């Protein structure tokens, strides 16, 4: 199965600034997703990163706040824009084929906004 | 809307089998049952999935009832390293998205 690397692993950011998280897969994958996991909570799907086109966002998430790029089949970025303390979470990237063999997850980016 | 229902927590003894139940009474014909687990401070890890037949791999077995409204994940010989949150997820074959519920926190005790 694919191996996913996320950078940075953690960061502390000032409110009002933006952070871009990178997700690199060691092989080409069809599907890539971004999740948020708030402290003590389960994972919430933010969006599906589509290669060469705009991401598909879930209800409650918008492109202006969480712009996503996916220039090829091995790489994606998620930007958390105009951050506030409520954005403090772990952000996880996931990827794989069509899911029938399971998706792989990165280790996550632990973001703290102060 | 939650597609699956799992007990919030369960304990099991090291070396014994752990049986994790999941109800998915509204599952449709083209939806699979997936199991993932998340060990503390790590990303989720895929365990197993199935459509209607029972499945087994090196990590676990998945038993799906004939009506597909419920399933059981079996960890045959639980170890302390199996302590994790286990998620049962129902996902269609045409959108490939995984929506995580609250899961079951499994604690394996020595």
């Amino acid at each position: 199965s694919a191996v996913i690397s996320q950078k940075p692993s953690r960061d502390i950011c000032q409110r009002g600034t933006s952070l871009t998280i990178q997700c690199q897969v060691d092989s080409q994958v069809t599907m890539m997703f971004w999740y948020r996991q708030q402290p003590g909570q389960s994972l919430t799907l933010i969006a599906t990163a589509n290669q060469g086109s705009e991401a598909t966002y879930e209800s409650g998430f918008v492109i202006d706040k969480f712009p996503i790029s996916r220039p090829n089949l091995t790489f994606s970025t998620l930007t958390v824009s105009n951050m506030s303390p409520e954005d403090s979470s772990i952000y996880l990237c996931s990827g794989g084929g069509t899911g029938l063999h399971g998706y792989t997850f990165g280790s996550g980016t632990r973001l703290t906004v102060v | 809307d939650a597609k699956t229902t799992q007990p919030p927590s369960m304990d099991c003894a090291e070396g014994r089998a752990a049986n994790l139940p999941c109800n998915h009474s509204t599952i449709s014909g083209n939806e699979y049952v997936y199991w993932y687990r998340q060990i503390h401070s790590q990303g989720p890890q895929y365990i197993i999935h199935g459509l209607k037949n029972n499945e087994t791999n090196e990590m676990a077995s998945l038993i799906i009832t004939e009506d597909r409204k419920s399933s059981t994940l079996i960890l045959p010989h639980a170890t302390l390293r199996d302590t994790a949150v286990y998620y049962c997820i129902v996902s269609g074959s045409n959108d490939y998205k995984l929506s995580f519920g609250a899961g079951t926190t499994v604690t394996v005790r020595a």
Side-chain angles (χ1 to χ4, degrees):
Chain A
S1 57
V3 175
I4 292 182
S5 302
Q6 270 187 248
K7 289 194 299 186
S9 59
R10 59 179 62 228
D11 208 340
I12 301 174
C13 300
Q14 296 291 322
R15 66 178 67 196
T17 64
S18 299
L19 176 71
T20 296
I21 302 168
Q22 298 181 2
C23 177
Q24 179 72 55
V25 192
D26 70 343
S27 60
Q28 293 185 343
V29 292
T30 307
M31 309 298 297
M32 291 185 77
F33 305 94
W34 286 97
Y35 288 84
R36 179 174 73 183
Q37 186 169 28
Q38 296 179 305
Q41 303 291 316
S42 182
L43 285 79
T44 301
L45 180 63
I46 297 172
T48 302
N50 300 309
Q51 192 259 327
S53 65
E54 189 172 293
T56 304
Y57 290 85
E58 298 298 307
S59 175
F61 297 95
V62 295
I63 187 171
D64 289 348
K65 177 65 176 178
F66 298 101
I68 289 170
S69 77
R70 190 179 173 192
N72 56 51
L73 293 176
T74 64
F75 186 77
S76 178
T77 66
L78 168 75
T79 299
V80 185
S81 303
N82 188 24
M83 289 183 286
S84 67
E86 291 72 34
D87 295 319
S88 296
S89 283
I90 298 173
Y91 292 85
L92 297 112
C93 170
S94 171
T98 54
L100 294 184
H101 299 288
Y103 293 126
T104 302
F105 284 77
S107 298
T109 296
R110 185 179 297 271
L111 170 63
T112 301
V113 183
V114 297
Chain B
D1 292 341
K3 287 189 173 182
T4 64
T5 303
Q6 299 177 251
S9 64
M10 61 184 296
D11 287 358
C12 62
E14 187 178 24
R16 304 291 297 271
N19 297 294
L20 283 62
C22 179
N23 288 323
H24 32 79
S25 58
T26 61
I27 193 169
S28 61
N30 67 346
E31 291 184 314
Y32 288 75
V33 179
Y34 292 85
W35 283 84
Y36 283 75
R37 72 181 183 183
Q38 187 173 27
I39 296 170
H40 184 62
S41 296
Q42 298 182 21
Q45 176 190 24
Y46 165 79
I47 301 173
I48 199 167
H49 76 279
L51 183 62
K52 55 183 178 181
N53 297 321
N54 298 337
E55 303 288 345
T56 295
N57 63 20
E58 66 278 5
M59 290 183 67
S61 294
L62 174 60
I63 309 298
I64 302 174
T65 57
E66 191 170 346
D67 63 7
R68 303 210 319 126
K69 293 184 177 182
S70 65
S71 61
T72 301
L73 178 75
I74 301 173
L75 307 177
H77 304 286
T79 71
L80 298 179
R81 289 176 294 180
D82 292 321
T83 293
V85 179
Y86 287 76
Y87 297 100
C88 170
I89 302 167
V90 166
S91 180
S93 61
N94 57 357
D95 69 10
Y96 309 122
K97 298 188 297 186
L98 298 178
S99 294
F100 287 76
T104 297
T105 299
V106 174
T107 303
V108 180
R109 303 192 186 277

